[in-house]
Amino acid sequence: MMQRARLQVVVAALTNVLLPCVLLLLLFGCAAQIRNQPEDVRLLRASALTEGGEQPTLSFLISEWQQPYNRIGKVQAEERGGSVRVFVDPQQAVIYSEKLVFSTARAAYTNLVYRVHFSKTPFSLIPFHLAAGNNVGLIVVITLDGENRPLLVTTVNTCGCYVAIIPTSYLAADAYPSAWPRKEQRVFGQILSAQLEMVAADDGLLVSISPALHRVMDVQVIAADFSHPYQTVSADRQTLSSLKSLPLAGGGSTSMYYDQWPLKGHVKGAIKPWESLLLSLVSLDLYVGMDKEYGTTAEKGNPFYTSLKPWNRQISDMNDFAAFLQFHGWKL
């Protein structure tokens, strides 16, 4: 206990010095992106994995589509000279999805998990892109109750960063964290809704993604007959498990994730140099910010943690969704 207390004091001191500087750089980068006017916007739509229906629908709004690194792509692999490279092809849009279940003391729930990937977050000093690197991604989780009603929408980058949880009007008032804001919440420089009003059975969700940084800028409820001026892009649907068996041209397959220590459970080729340099000491994780597998900590031994504090590594693990919600104050 004494050693843990000392560790917390040391890390807290480092956090007080380093983290504000990093956040200022990050917020500067975010602000610059928000000011940009999108030149080309596309809409990708995916239907949910509910039985007996296609509700709620999930759509992605992508700004500055003319830049290949802003396009949701297909994860692929190639073998050259005995080494395997994993990359994201921006010319083919694929949404990886799966249904996962979890239980709490109150009830059983279903998570509709959607994972998308981009070829990279480009390197940039002005604006500063802290999360610059390859094969980056984003996850959207829709939590359903026993009546297939959406209760929560959770968004997080595949590094475990920038997690946001938005309740819908179906969620009971006593399930909210204490002192939950009424109108909006701030998530590392982005302003998101504090609640989504979903009342119609065919209501859908629209997730707006920022260019270059691939951050969630907004989540909105949309009607089934949602009218928009954007060009629609067709996206294929594949399972999350397909990311573990990417076909190789010469035969055989490979996983998107490393199988061996010390990178086990991380996305191949997704090291984030800036985050490793600036945040590894604070987080006590040399590979902080590196994108990860989502779904099971037991198999890979690599928690999908959503808090930089080392002592929160297990309790903030999104792979244990019930404990993750409890950590963030939700009472499902």
Side-chain angles (χ1 to χ4, degrees):
M1 293 296 294
M2 290 292 294
Q3 291 180 341
R4 179 177 177 179
R6 289 173 182 170
L7 175 62
Q8 290 178 346
V9 170
V10 172
V11 174
L14 291 170
T15 301
N16 289 337
V17 175
L18 295 177
L19 197 54
C21 298
V22 174
L23 290 176
L24 283 175
L25 290 170
L26 177 60
L27 292 175
F28 174 73
C30 290
Q33 287 298 327
I34 292 171
R35 286 195 297 268
N36 286 340
Q37 294 299 315
E39 299 174 14
D40 190 3
V41 181
R42 303 294 172 94
L43 185 80
L44 282 84
R45 176 164 289 178
S47 55
L49 304 177
T50 52
E51 295 180 4
E54 294 296 324
Q55 304 299 335
T57 57
L58 176 65
S59 302
F60 293 96
L61 198 62
I62 315 292
S63 299
E64 299 186 19
W65 186 266
Q66 73 277 5
Q67 297 289 355
Y69 55 71
N70 287 328
R71 302 173 189 171
I72 289 174
K74 181 179 182 179
V75 180
Q76 299 194 52
E78 63 179 4
E79 188 172 12
R80 289 183 179 178
S83 63
V84 173
R85 181 178 76 97
V86 170
F87 63 98
V88 178
D89 180 4
Q91 303 304 319
Q92 304 179 65
V94 176
I95 297 172
Y96 301 89
S97 56
E98 197 164 321
K99 287 197 301 184
L100 302 175
V101 296
F102 72 98
S103 299
T104 68
R106 298 180 64 168
Y109 304 92
T110 299
N111 276 345
L112 308 178
V113 181
Y114 299 88
R115 180 171 184 143
V116 296
H117 274 274
F118 305 87
S119 59
K120 65 179 179 179
T121 290
F123 283 88
S124 174
L125 291 178
I126 302 176
F128 179 60
H129 292 174
L130 176 68
N134 296 329
N135 299 341
V136 298
L138 176 70
I139 292 173
V140 178
V141 179
I142 303 174
T143 300
L144 306 178
D145 64 10
E147 300 177 39
N148 277 342
R149 298 179 305 176
L151 302 181
L152 296 173
V153 179
T154 303
T155 66
V156 64
N157 287 65
T158 51
C159 54
C161 314
Y162 314 125
V163 65
I165 304 172
I166 310 176
T168 77
S169 49
Y170 290 119
L171 186 66
D174 62 357
Y176 281 67
S178 58
W180 185 253
R182 298 183 63 182
K183 292 185 178 180
E184 61 188 27
Q185 58 174 311
R186 295 180 179 272
V187 182
F188 294 97
Q190 301 287 1
I191 299 176
L192 302 177
S193 299
Q195 187 187 64
L196 299 171
E197 292 292 330
M198 300 187 75
V199 293
D202 57 358
D203 279 341
L205 295 165
L206 178 65
V207 177
S208 298
I209 301 176
S210 67
L213 297 175
H214 314 306
R215 292 278 311 277
V216 172
M217 295 192 300
D218 193 19
V219 180
Q220 303 174 53
V221 178
I222 57 174
D225 58 351
F226 170 61
S227 178
H228 61 86
Y230 313 116
Q231 182 176 340
T232 300
V233 175
S234 298
D236 292 333
R237 174 76 64 75
Q238 294 189 19
T239 63
L240 287 182
S241 58
S242 69
L243 292 171
K244 298 181 183 181
S245 55
L246 304 174
L248 295 170
S253 64
T254 188
S255 174
M256 183 185 189
Y257 314 105
Y258 291 104
D259 292 322
Q260 302 296 324
W261 186 89
L263 292 172
K264 191 174 183 179
H266 291 85
V267 172
K268 292 176 180 176
I271 290 176
K272 308 286 182 58
W274 283 118
E275 293 198 62
S276 292
L277 176 66
L278 297 173
L279 293 178
S280 59
L281 189 59
V282 172
S283 63
L284 299 185
D285 181 1
L286 181 61
Y287 305 109
V288 61
M290 193 171 177
D291 300 81
K292 308 170 187 176
E293 180 178 355
Y294 175 71
T296 168
T297 300
E299 179 183 342
K300 294 295 184 180
N302 185 34
F304 197 93
Y305 66 84
T306 56
S307 169
L308 278 178
K309 297 177 180 178
W311 50 87
N312 288 338
R313 191 142 300 167
Q314 299 300 325
I315 59 176
S316 71
D317 183 3
M318 197 167 151
N319 285 333
D320 184 350
F321 208 80
F324 159 80
L325 290 179
Q326 185 177 19
F327 170 73
H328 287 282
W330 299 92
K331 308 176 187 70
L332 267 68

